[in-house]
């Protein structure tokens, strides 16, 4: 066997590195690529001349080579998302005496077939893990708890304490707040902290159900009640929530004729299905939510005053994000970790310019808009740090203090469209894979494709 110290040392190492099935990359102390073998170049679809001399973050997606070269701390068997796939990466610092002078990185696979099998196995395990998480968290229809409400501002800390106080009681609660402030999270939390936590939590979006169907959706119907009624009838949301909590979201959009029936249910504690002969006794707690002023709707005769007082026993006002700026950076970091954990992309931080912009912006769409912006930025990002160029266009320019004329709907739709387009590009047009990465169901994803004409 040839000695490594022999006269053919350079030729020996070159043969080993250039003919290995593994990917090798070497960076200097500053993270600049000094060597990359042919296997890695082929995988990245780049030539050696295109990568040598460039910073590694400009060459390899979600890399941490520059970090290892800076800290001197090795990273073994790390899951890295590169070119739409999960890879196993090792990163070892190169030492000269006590000084770190660079780092060597490898991506492990022997051939494309083996790599594809490994990648599929990892994806399958991640999907299985997410499935069991959803199964556990979705028990009785509840997805969120008070721990999911990330906050350190005085207003939100006090609000969470208030929720703990009122949740054990059985009184009706009205959650009042702008769109995107997290009203549903608080509704779930109230249920989990109540004596009804082992019973069903049922949500009704009063704005999403067609007016001609809302009565049968809420109160159910008997077989033969109307043309097209299912055989055996159907239970309504009230019957399904019996013993538990009924969450009436966007209650300000409920038609007046249904408000009359809802009031009777709350007063008599019984519900009569469409086509039923006798009413059915029920035991439910009502948690309602609105982004409108119900007091104003009452004055305009668009909401019943007696129903308003029935559901407004305790009113919880959720502040918009612009009134609790202390939470913005913490929420941005929380959403960054949430998105990267789901997608596998290694995006670690925001630039100081991005963080400053986040704090200056008024967040018309509140927490939901911030989450959408972070998710879009992660998908658009090509390095380990989110820069201004990764943000949606309306956040880049014009200045945030002068973006008048842009509606909340336009902001959210623009963010959604960019995230979908970028994910489709990453998955080479694979719509099912893109839907999975974005956490959308197949039908919802295709509806958005149609809506945005993608």
């Amino acid at each position: 066997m040839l000695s490594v110290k022999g006269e053919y040392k350079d030729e020996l190492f070159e043969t080993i590195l250039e003919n290995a099935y593994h990917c090798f990359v070497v960076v200097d102390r500053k993270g600049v690529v000094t060597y990359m073998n042919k296997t890695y170049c082929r995988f990245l679809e780049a030539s050696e001349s295109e990568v040598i001399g460039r910073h590694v973050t400009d060459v390899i997606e979600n890399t941490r080579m520059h970090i290892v070269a800076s800290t001197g701390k090795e990273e073994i068997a790390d899951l890295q998302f590169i070119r739409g796939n999960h890879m196993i990466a090792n990163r070892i610092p190169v030492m000269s005496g006590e000084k770190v002078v660079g780092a060597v990185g490898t991506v492990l696979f022997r051939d494309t077939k083996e790599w594809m099998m490994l990648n599929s196995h990892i994806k399958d395990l991640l999907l299985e893990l997410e499935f069991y998480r959803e199964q556990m968290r979705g028990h009785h229809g509840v997805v969120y708890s008070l721990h999911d409400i990330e906050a350190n501002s005085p207003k939100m800390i006090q609000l969470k304490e208030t929720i703990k106080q009122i949740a054990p009681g059985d009184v009706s609660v009205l959650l009042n707040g702008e769109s995107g402030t997290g009203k549903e999270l608080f509704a779930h939390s109230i249920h989990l902290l109540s004596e009804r936590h082992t019973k069903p939590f049922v949500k009704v979006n009063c704005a999403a159900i067609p007016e001609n169907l809302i009565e049968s959706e809420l109160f159910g119907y008997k077989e033969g009640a109307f043309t097209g009624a299912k055989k055996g009838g159907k239970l309504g949301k009230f019957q399904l929530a019996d013993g538990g909590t009924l969450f009436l979201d966007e209650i300000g959009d409920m038609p007046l004729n249904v408000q009359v029936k809802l009031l009777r249910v709350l007063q008599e504690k019984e519900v009569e299905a469409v086509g039923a002969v006798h009413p059915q006794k029920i035991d439910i707690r009502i948690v309602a939510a609105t982004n409108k002023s119900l007091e104003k709707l009452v004055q305009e005769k668009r909401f019943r005053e007696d129903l308003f007082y029935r559901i407004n026993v305790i009113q919880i006002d959720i502040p918009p994000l612009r009134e609790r700026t202390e939470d913005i950076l913490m929420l941005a970091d929380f959403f960054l970790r949430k998105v990267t954990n789901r997608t596998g992309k290694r995006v670690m931080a925001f630039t100081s310019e991005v963080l400053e912009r986040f704090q200056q912006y008024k967040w018309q769409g509140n927490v939901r808009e911030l989450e959408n912006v972070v998710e879009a930025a992660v998908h658009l990002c090509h390095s380990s740090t989110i820069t201004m160029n990764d943000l949606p266009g309306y956040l880049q320019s014009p200045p945030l203090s002068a973006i008048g004329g842009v509606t909340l709907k336009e902001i959210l739709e623009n963010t959604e469209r960019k995230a979908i387009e970028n994910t489709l590009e990453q998955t080479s047009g694979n719509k099912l894979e893109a839907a999975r990465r974005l956490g959308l169901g197949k039908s919802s994803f295709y509806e958005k494709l149609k809506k945005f004409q993608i």
Side-chain angles (χ1 to χ4, degrees):
M1 180 177 179
L2 288 173
S3 171
V4 175
K5 295 182 180 180
E7 59 179 313
Y8 302 111
K9 179 177 64 176
D10 293 339
E11 290 82 353
L12 178 61
F13 279 119
E14 182 179 356
T15 301
I16 293 172
L17 294 175
E18 289 299 341
N19 291 280
Y21 287 110
H22 295 172
C23 293
F24 286 94
V25 63
V26 181
V27 301
D28 64 15
R29 183 72 173 80
K30 296 181 180 179
V32 174
V33 177
T34 59
Y35 171 79
M36 180 178 287
N37 72 344
K38 294 176 181 177
T39 304
Y40 214 158
C41 288
R42 283 195 298 270
F43 175 66
L44 296 177
E45 296 181 356
S47 65
E48 185 178 0
S49 61
E50 290 175 323
V51 299
I52 301 300
R54 296 177 63 189
H55 195 271
V56 68
T57 55
D58 296 326
V59 176
I60 303 174
E61 184 180 2
N62 299 313
T63 184
R64 289 176 55 82
M65 288 291 293
H66 58 302
I67 297 174
V68 172
S70 174
T71 63
K73 296 180 180 179
E74 70 176 27
E75 297 180 353
I76 303 298
D78 183 48
L79 193 63
Q80 183 176 349
F81 193 78
I82 310 176
R83 296 179 63 82
N85 295 282
H86 295 93
M87 315 291 283
I88 303 298
N90 293 330
R91 309 177 190 96
I92 310 294
V94 178
M95 310 294 295
S96 177
E98 299 295 323
K99 184 180 179 182
V100 181
V101 295
V104 175
T106 61
V107 173
L108 306 179
F109 63 92
R110 281 203 295 270
D111 54 42
T112 304
K113 183 178 180 181
E114 180 178 332
W115 160 63
M116 290 296 290
M117 290 175 61
L118 175 63
N119 187 58
S120 297
H121 182 59
I122 292 171
K123 287 182 178 179
D124 184 57
L125 290 176
L126 290 174
L127 286 171
E128 186 176 1
L129 177 61
E130 187 63 26
F131 171 78
Y132 285 117
R133 280 178 177 169
E134 290 299 317
Q135 288 288 305
M136 293 184 67
R137 290 170 61 83
H139 185 58
H140 292 307
V142 177
V143 178
Y144 308 107
S145 71
L146 207 57
H147 296 291
D148 291 304
I149 303 174
E150 296 283 330
N152 57 17
S153 62
K155 284 186 178 181
M156 291 299 287
I157 291 174
Q158 180 56 51
L159 184 54
K160 290 171 75 171
E161 290 301 316
T162 301
I163 294 295
K164 292 177 184 178
Q165 284 182 296
I166 61 100
D170 217 26
V171 295
S172 298
V173 179
L174 177 63
L175 301 170
N176 188 42
E178 296 179 6
S179 178
T181 51
K183 296 185 291 293
E184 185 171 350
L185 273 71
F186 281 103
H188 285 237
S189 301
I190 290 170
H191 176 75
L192 275 181
L193 293 172
S194 73
E195 296 299 318
R196 298 174 178 266
H197 68 277
T198 60
K199 300 296 183 179
F201 175 91
V202 178
K203 175 188 174 182
V204 177
N205 189 328
C206 301
I209 304 176
E211 187 172 342
N212 62 321
L213 295 179
I214 193 167
E215 188 173 345
S216 61
E217 284 293 318
L218 288 178
F219 311 121
Y221 57 81
K222 294 295 183 180
E223 182 178 343
F226 50 83
T227 303
K230 289 183 179 180
K231 185 177 181 180
K234 179 182 177 182
L235 294 176
K237 302 295 187 182
F238 278 87
Q239 293 97 324
L240 293 172
D242 191 22
T245 302
L246 184 66
F247 175 43
L248 298 173
D249 196 14
E250 305 301 350
I251 194 171
D253 293 302
M254 180 176 284
L256 280 170
N257 65 308
V258 182
Q259 291 179 31
V260 176
K261 287 206 168 189
L262 173 60
L263 180 63
R264 181 177 180 277
V265 171
L266 299 182
Q267 288 175 335
E268 306 297 332
K269 295 185 178 180
E270 60 182 29
V271 61
E272 188 171 328
V274 178
V277 178
H278 303 289
Q280 173 189 345
K281 286 290 183 181
I282 57 166
D283 172 28
I284 58 170
R285 180 186 193 176
I286 293 291
V287 176
T290 181
N291 60 5
K292 299 179 179 179
S293 170
L294 292 189
E295 291 92 338
K296 184 178 180 181
L297 292 179
V298 168
Q299 293 174 0
E300 296 172 351
K301 306 297 182 183
R302 294 163 58 196
F303 199 88
R304 291 184 61 94
E305 185 175 14
D306 45 8
L307 176 59
F308 171 70
Y309 288 117
R310 174 67 66 172
I311 64 173
N312 191 34
V313 179
I314 294 179
Q315 180 167 319
I316 300 293
D317 295 312
I318 305 173
L321 189 55
R322 61 183 172 275
E323 293 181 8
R324 49 186 182 101
T325 54
E326 307 96 322
D327 293 334
I328 292 175
L329 299 188
M330 184 190 68
L331 284 168
D333 183 64
F334 170 74
F335 292 135
L336 178 62
R337 287 184 279 112
K338 178 181 176 182
V339 175
T340 53
N341 285 340
R342 188 180 75 239
T343 62
K345 290 195 70 173
R346 186 170 284 281
V347 181
M348 306 299 293
F350 305 91
T351 64
S352 58
E353 188 180 10
V354 169
L355 294 177
E356 183 179 355
R357 182 60 55 90
F358 280 177
Q359 288 184 302
Q360 293 172 346
Y361 185 57
K362 297 304 181 184
W363 299 110
Q364 300 175 61
N366 292 292
V367 180
R368 184 182 296 124
E369 183 188 1
L370 175 58
E371 182 174 12
N372 287 345
V373 165
V374 172
E375 179 158 11
V378 169
H379 287 287
L380 293 168
C381 184
H382 294 292
S383 68
S384 62
T385 303
I386 291 174
T387 68
M388 289 295 295
N389 291 332
D390 301 319
L391 299 182
Y394 71 89
L395 273 171
Q396 296 179 28
S397 62
L400 297 174
S401 58
I403 65 166
V406 181
T407 67
L408 172 60
K409 183 178 180 181
E410 290 170 336
I411 290 171
L412 296 177
E413 287 184 348
N414 183 52
T415 304
E416 273 193 301
R417 181 187 293 107
K418 287 196 172 184
I420 291 172
E421 289 175 342
N422 189 67
T423 307
L424 281 171
E425 182 179 345
Q426 291 180 350
T427 61
S428 302
N430 188 324
K431 295 177 181 178
L432 292 179
E433 175 63 14
R436 186 193 68 77
R437 292 189 191 181
L438 291 170
L440 296 172
K442 180 180 176 181
S443 58
S444 297
F445 184 71
Y446 277 89
E447 286 176 7
K448 291 183 183 295
L449 293 180
K450 182 178 180 181
K451 175 182 176 181
F452 297 131
Q453 298 181 342
I454 297 176

